[in-house]
Amino acid sequence: MIIALAADHGGYELKNAVKEHLKERKIKVVDLGTNSADSVDYPEYGKACAEAVASGKADLGIVCCGTGIGISIAANKVKGVRCGLCTSVEMATLTKQHNNANMIALGGRTTTPELAMEIVDAWLDTEFEGGRHQRRVDMLDAM
Ligand code: RB5
């Protein structure tokens, strides 16, 4: 499995922490930047990560900005991407079970690294429930 990562300046430290965590889990990562505190535009990074997932270059994607909000909005503009903004383990679990989220967004200024790793693990280790949720996911993908 390959996971694409991207962040703006508000999320790059959390993105780097997620990268190390994924490597510890022996998961291959593609880091699409950014890699410094210099101000950049989150739409560019959300789009780049989402396009990596939509094109199949990566299986899943994780994006980080200050709140996770802007970069999740950007990612969700790319067809085929279902990016869930997660601020709790419950949201991470549900966004896989119900939305089959192929990306999650995290907030570098709103979520501690410790909680972020729990969120990442919950999302990765939870299965999509299918059933009635499949029809709704299909509706999302048809938009
Ligand atoms: C950047 O200052 C900040 O606006 C961005 O990281 C993010 O929080 C936007 O939603």
Side-chain angles (χ1 to χ4, degrees), residues 52-92:
V53 173
S55 69
K57 284 182 191 149
D59 302 293
L60 299 171
I62 301 175
V63 283
C64 307
C65 67
T67 58
I69 297 171
I71 205 158
S72 66
I73 293 171
N76 279 314
K77 297 256 177 199
V78 175
K79 192 165 176 60
V81 163
R82 297 175 304 279
C83 180
L85 169 60
C86 296
T87 59
S88 69
V89 168
E90 186 182 17
M91 289 172 80

Side-chain angles (χ1 to χ4, degrees), residues 93-108:
T93 303
L94 286 169
T95 204
K96 179 63 82 63
Q97 287 177 336
H98 289 196
N99 316 124
N100 200 16
N102 51 12
M103 291 183 60
I104 58 168
L106 300 165

Side-chain angles (χ1 to χ4, degrees), residues 37-57:
D38 296 343
S39 182
V40 293
D41 299 323
Y42 60 80
E44 274 182 28
Y45 289 85
K47 180 172 184 255
C49 191
E51 286 179 343
V53 173
S55 69
K57 284 182 191 149

Side-chain angles (χ1 to χ4, degrees), residues 1-140:
M1 174 171 40
I2 300 175
I3 299 187
L5 303 174
D8 76 351
H9 53 288
Y12 87 96
E13 283 185 356
L14 184 58
K15 183 260 295 171
N16 289 345
V18 168
K19 184 176 173 180
E20 288 313 307
H21 182 70
L22 294 176
K23 283 185 179 170
E24 281 166 20
R25 285 189 57 150
K26 313 275 185 239
I27 293 171
K28 254 175 105 172
V29 299
V30 178
D31 186 346
L32 300 169
T34 189
N35 287 305
S36 80
D38 296 343
S39 182
V40 293
D41 299 323
Y42 60 80
E44 274 182 28
Y45 289 85
K47 180 172 184 255
C49 191
E51 286 179 343
V53 173
S55 69
K57 284 182 191 149
D59 302 293
L60 299 171
I62 301 175
V63 283
C64 307
C65 67
T67 58
I69 297 171
I71 205 158
S72 66
I73 293 171
N76 279 314
K77 297 256 177 199
V78 175
K79 192 165 176 60
V81 163
R82 297 175 304 279
C83 180
L85 169 60
C86 296
T87 59
S88 69
V89 168
E90 186 182 17
M91 289 172 80
T93 303
L94 286 169
T95 204
K96 179 63 82 63
Q97 287 177 336
H98 289 196
N99 316 124
N100 200 16
N102 51 12
M103 291 183 60
I104 58 168
L106 300 165
R109 296 174 183 156
T110 57
T111 302
T112 63
E114 293 74 22
L115 176 57
M117 301 322 145
E118 288 179 31
I119 287 170
V120 167
D121 287 341
W123 174 60
L124 290 177
D125 297 337
T126 299
E127 297 289 323
F128 176 49
E129 284 181 356
R132 71 186 188 281
H133 301 297
Q134 183 63 59
R135 187 176 55 81
R136 294 164 184 160
V137 166
D138 290 343
M139 290 169 74
L140 289 176

